[in-house]
Amino acid sequence: MDERPRPDIRAVVRPAAGALVAGVVVAVAGCGAAASPDPAATSPGPAATVTGEVFVSAAASLADAFAEIEVAFEHRHPDVDVVRNLAGSATLREQVLEGAPTDVVALANAQTMAALEDAGLTDGPAVTFATNTVTIAVPAANPGGVTGLADFARDDLLIGLCIEGVPCGDLARQVLDAAGVVARIDTNEPDVRALLARIAADEVDAGITYVTDVASADGAVVGIEIPSADAIVADLPIATLADAPNPAGAEAFKAFVLGEDGQAIMARHGFGAP
Amino acid sequence: MTSSDAHKAGSDTPGAVAAPRDTTSSGPGLRASLGVAQSAEFDLDADVVIAPGTTVALLGPNGAGKSTAVAAIAGLRALDRGRIELGGHVLDDPVADVFVPAADRRIGVVFQDHLLFDHMSVVDNVAFGLRAGHVPRGEATARARDWLDRVGLAGVEQRRPRQLSGGQAQRVALARALAPMPDLLLLDEPLSALDVSTRANLRRSLASHLDEFAGPRLVITHDPTEAFLLADEVHVLEEGRITQVGTPDDIRLRPTTPYVADLAGANLLTGRVRDGVVKVAGGGELHVADHAVAGDVLVTVSPTAVTVHRGRPEGSQRNTWSTTLERVELLGDRVRLRTRPPVPLTVEVTRDATDELGLQPDSEVWIAVKATEIGVQPDSDV
Amino acid sequence: MTSPTPLPTGRSRRRDVVQRPPAVFVVLAVAGLALFVVPLAGLLVRTPWSNLATLLATDVVTQALWLSLVSSLGATAISLVVGLPLAWLLARVEFPGRRLVRGIVMLPLVLPPVVGGAALLFALGRRGLVGGPLERATGLVVPFTTWGVVIASTFVAMPFLVITVEGALRNLDGRHEGAAATLGASRWTVMRRVTLPMIAPSLASGLVLTWARAFGEFGATVTFAGNLQGRTQTMPLAVFVALDGQRDAAVAMSLVMVIVSLVVLVALRGQWWPSR
């Protein structure tokens, strides 16, 4: 009775272990193939030398602009596949700090990037590639009759901001402070796109988003300029990472964004020049 | 099987099927004409009349329709045809569109699996019917305790049903059914789930509790012993129809169907009689005591009324013949023999006798039956 | 003459053989357990034990915990009041479209919570199917309120109660209810004194499951009710927000949630599964 089970287990475990080992080998080989740097592409050279996957982590406010940049970049470098990872700048920062493999990081303000620079995770200092300002955003019909920042103190309106710690949220609070308005906030959205969606759906009466977000909403959202906002401008930094899986691809992408084509796309989406 | 002392003597004119006890037509008691279309194959069509102070047993094999009858009388299902009247009140009448739901019928039911409420104490179980009838808690508990005492279970009040033995649980179930003072007591296979010794014990106390109950009582069972010992009158239910009605003795000694004959262990044969001689179907002749009967008849012989001999027996018995044994079966201390034609019979003898005579299959034997031990009744559709 | 090695006594040897599970089972079971234990261990290792008290003594934490408890208990209560009759109907009444209704009730179990939250917006949001007329008639807006959190939690958690209770009612031996009827009990009395007590263990475990689901709810809440400290920011939301930038606080709050959950679940160790 005791003898019988043992041969059965061996019969099961051996093939299973074999499959497991084989699987690991394949995975490692695959990763290795993707990660191995191409010795010929040490600098942003001609298009043909850049290949593989380029993993780009971009702040939520860059969603539309970087979508267009991805298409243009892949057109320029047909052997490249750009993978976009969009989230709030703070989330992206935490991801990189925890070691998520990324080639390029483009954030919505400089302070968030500073954390990565200070940790030595970037390949050299970050470079500002665009600027952005905030604006009041209301649903197209403006049901709350919002005209300026003062309306944010009204109790009868539903007001939304981004959470603190996210560039959009910090900027909004700076602007409100500067105007001396105590806002009656009803919700703090995790990222600016979520806030934009709420405004576009007419679930809140007003919020503070980037100018570029209003532009991307295709008319569902209307912007109301903040006079004092001119002084509060966000610098958007971009950096390649020191342990990027595809350093050649990373450099090429960063160069593209900073180059003529990239800048034209950014401008088209409402961003300011660096 | 002997009748218990609790029985009154039934009518036992030899050869006659006993008529149901007459009841005053509008007096209290149960008058039920049950018609239930169970399914395409099965249909219940049975009449039951029970006078107050009488116990009727509905005896039948499983699948005969007993549970349907219980459900219909208890009000857990409606009749398709017929009528149920209890104590002069109509409980169910499809034609007149009258249906009194179970909760409003005053019927106490004791179920086969006792169906006590496990999440309540014993005394709360017994008091349940009273509380449901809006009797205040204190009074209900007191009366429940009283009933528990009467069924001999004082002291287990606070226990849970699962802590009781089968016999105790069934007694609690009886107390629970009786506590609200119902008009009819309905017992659905009350002893079937118990082991043999508990069953024997409980049977006696159950018989006395039934006697104390003033209203009509109906016992549903497949066990003939239960029926014979508890009931004044037995209705045999087979495949949805009542096939025989009578006192326990009638049923036992003069069965009219093979099922009943088997139950009582009697031999049941058919034949044609003239002048006291029955020509048995299948060959053979039997002399019977009754010379008045003629024509097609049913013949019954109790297995214990037959004697077995090794040689031709002498004596007064009018029926002797030689044959061989087909089967010898042991049943505890008794032996049941089966003889071969001309008149195949089941015979019951003691083990000692079997050993002494050296009886085994194919033994040559002489059979003897007294004419007075042979029951004869006209063969008719009952 | 050498004496043989004494065999284990007959009883213990037999017990050994019968109770020892196949080794493969043990390996797989341990792997399964590791899936739960390793992340918990990671959490414990990452916990900033030295300043745990200061991290937890903030408004953010106390308000979030309070909201979580209130909304999860509220969701459980509503699930009971509304879900029990629904389970009853599904189990006991043959009505047309019953299977469809059951499928709809199960839907929140399968839908991603965020989708559930979006659907709630379409229904109860300011411009929603029901929320729109409601706002125009009474000025009442459900999102961005604590009630919104309760509704979102109820939406995702109630199916647990309905499924558990329906199952229990189906498995109930109906004969006890018949016996109660013959004793004169009205339908309400039968339900109150017989049926409900008989399904009490299942009902209890259903309530615990419901509460647990509501307590941990995130997606539907953040999508429908929004995120505002003190009004709609439950613990899961607070942890999510804190993850970006105040990781220590996030870990501390996660620990609190784990402890609260463990306390509740362990306290019900005997009654976790309905007993026969």
Side-chain angles (χ1 to χ4, degrees), chain A residues 60-102:
Chain A
S61 53
L62 295 164
D64 296 332
F66 269 46
E68 207 183 309
I69 286 179
E70 173 185 345
V71 168
F73 186 73
E74 284 175 354
H75 186 74
R76 174 84 67 83
H77 304 272
D79 293 330
V80 163
D81 178 26
V82 173
V83 177
R84 264 182 313 138
N85 170 34
L86 293 166
S89 297
T91 310
L92 294 172
R93 177 196 62 214
E94 293 306 313
Q95 285 176 354
V96 175
L97 283 174
E98 294 283 328
T102 314

Side-chain angles (χ1 to χ4, degrees), chain B residues 37-375:
Chain B
Q38 184 91 302
S39 65
E41 296 90 40
F42 179 80
D43 193 82
L44 174 68
D45 195 349
D47 289 355
V48 181
V49 177
I50 312 178
T54 323
T55 307
V56 166
L58 194 59
L59 173 66
N62 292 325
K66 304 196 302 292
S67 347
T68 313
V70 171
I73 295 173
L76 295 172
R77 85 177 280 169
L79 294 175
D80 296 315
R81 305 179 303 273
R83 198 163 187 270
I84 301 179
E85 202 184 293
L86 177 61
H89 304 294
V90 177
L91 296 182
D92 195 344
D93 189 342
V95 171
D97 205 20
V98 174
F99 181 77
V100 177
D104 297 325
R105 301 190 188 190
R106 300 193 48 79
I107 297 179
V109 186
V110 178
F111 296 90
Q112 180 180 358
D113 302 335
H114 63 74
L115 295 185
L116 295 176
F117 306 127
D118 252 325
H119 54 276
M120 293 182 205
S121 65
V122 164
V123 68
D124 282 338
N125 262 279
V126 177
F128 187 88
L130 297 167
R131 304 269 299 127
H134 306 296
V135 172
R137 181 185 281 279
E139 189 189 329
T141 314
R143 279 159 66 171
R145 283 218 185 89
D146 190 45
W147 272 105
L148 279 172
D149 198 26
R150 276 204 242 179
V151 298
L153 286 177
V156 303
E157 281 128 22
Q158 290 312 318
R159 292 209 208 147
R160 287 292 158 104
R162 72 186 95 95
Q163 295 171 300
L164 301 176
S165 71
Q168 288 174 319
Q170 212 53 326
R171 281 197 246 173
V172 173
L174 182 63
R176 183 178 72 170
L178 288 171
M181 312 283 254
D183 294 331
L184 165 73
L185 190 58
L186 180 56
L187 299 105
D188 184 5
E189 313 252 16
L191 305 174
S192 301
L194 304 171
D195 64 77
V196 174
S197 50
T198 318
R199 204 181 297 174
N201 284 334
L202 199 55
R203 196 183 293 136
R204 275 177 240 127
S205 55
L206 189 57
S208 72
H209 287 300
L210 285 178
D211 265 353
E212 285 162 17
F213 182 72
R217 322 137 196 159
L218 180 60
V219 177
I220 316 285
T221 181
H222 67 271
D223 182 350
T225 319
E226 217 170 289
F228 296 164
L229 293 182
L230 296 175
D232 302 313
E233 195 175 287
V234 178
H235 297 225
V236 180
L237 185 67
E238 291 180 61
E239 291 186 9
R241 303 281 184 282
I242 302 276
T243 54
Q244 188 170 357
V245 176
T247 64
D249 278 344
D250 292 335
I251 305 299
R252 193 172 62 80
L253 293 174
R254 283 170 286 274
T256 56
T257 69
Y259 165 68
V260 187
D262 280 341
L263 275 191
N267 290 289
L268 184 67
L269 307 159
T270 52
R272 193 161 253 275
V273 71
R274 208 159 73 116
D275 291 339
V277 177
V278 181
K279 283 204 170 9
V280 179
E285 278 184 9
L286 286 176
H287 296 256
V288 296
D290 186 358
H291 285 247
V293 185
D296 291 0
V297 286
L298 290 174
V299 177
T300 53
V301 182
S302 172
T304 48
V306 181
T307 51
V308 179
H309 312 257
R310 271 312 207 169
R312 177 187 270 277
E314 292 178 352
S316 65
Q317 68 275 7
R318 306 280 282 115
N319 297 295
T320 61
W321 64 88
S322 82
T323 179
T324 52
L325 292 181
E326 188 186 301
R327 278 199 312 266
V328 178
E329 284 166 28
L330 216 59
L331 270 178
D333 283 332
R334 302 183 321 221
V335 178
R336 287 174 88 84
L337 312 169
R338 186 76 183 158
T339 66
R340 291 213 174 86
V343 184
L345 289 179
T346 303
V347 182
E348 208 174 279
V349 295
T350 64
R351 200 152 160 200
D352 291 343
T354 315
D355 293 343
E356 265 178 41
L357 294 174
L359 297 177
Q360 30 188 309
D362 296 328
S363 296
E364 283 182 52
V365 293
W366 278 86
I367 298 298
V369 189
K370 288 169 68 177
T372 47
E373 286 282 8
I374 300 179

Side-chain angles (χ1 to χ4, degrees), chain A:
Chain A
M1 205 46 150
D2 283 323
E3 290 305 317
R4 265 194 299 126
R6 290 200 200 102
D8 287 350
I9 295 169
R10 259 180 260 147
V12 170
V13 167
R14 276 217 198 93
L20 190 61
V21 167
V24 168
V25 166
V26 168
V28 166
C31 289
S36 58
D38 191 342
T42 42
S43 58
T49 54
V50 177
T51 57
E53 210 178 71
V54 178
F55 201 90
V56 177
S57 288
S61 53
L62 295 164
D64 296 332
F66 269 46
E68 207 183 309
I69 286 179
E70 173 185 345
V71 168
F73 186 73
E74 284 175 354
H75 186 74
R76 174 84 67 83
H77 304 272
D79 293 330
V80 163
D81 178 26
V82 173
V83 177
R84 264 182 313 138
N85 170 34
L86 293 166
S89 297
T91 310
L92 294 172
R93 177 196 62 214
E94 293 306 313
Q95 285 176 354
V96 175
L97 283 174
E98 294 283 328
T102 314
D103 292 303
V104 182
V105 170
L107 301 178
N109 76 0
Q111 294 105 294
T112 321
M113 183 64 85
L116 299 178
E117 288 173 302
D118 292 342
L121 291 169
T122 57
D123 186 16
V127 177
T128 305
F129 70 100
T131 55
N132 209 350
T133 49
V134 293
T135 177
I136 297 172
V138 296
N142 196 1
V146 174
T147 52
L149 280 177
D151 289 316
F152 277 59
R154 277 166 58 184
D155 209 7
D156 60 315
L157 292 184
L158 290 172
I159 307 287
L161 295 182
C162 297
I163 51 174
E164 286 177 64
V166 166
C168 165
D170 291 337
L171 274 178
R173 282 168 176 82
Q174 273 182 276
V175 161
L176 285 165
D177 272 345
V181 174
V182 176
R184 314 283 221 147
I185 308 169
D186 291 287
T187 182
N188 291 306
E189 297 297 316
D191 66 73
V192 73
R193 283 291 151 134
L195 177 58
L196 191 70
R198 284 222 193 261
I199 300 170
D202 201 1
E203 287 152 27
V204 295
D205 293 308
I208 296 179
T209 67
Y210 293 113
V211 215
T212 50
D213 294 311
V214 171
S216 76
D218 267 346
V221 173
V222 165
I224 298 174
E225 216 182 290
I226 305 172
S228 49
D230 288 334
I232 302 171
V233 160
D235 288 331
L236 280 76
I238 186 168
T240 55
L241 293 182
D243 61 350
N246 184 358
E251 279 300 328
F253 189 85
K254 178 170 133 187
F256 185 86
V257 169
L258 292 167
E260 218 179 284
D261 297 323
Q263 288 295 301
I265 294 171
M266 296 300 295
R268 242 202 318 280
H269 284 268
F271 289 90

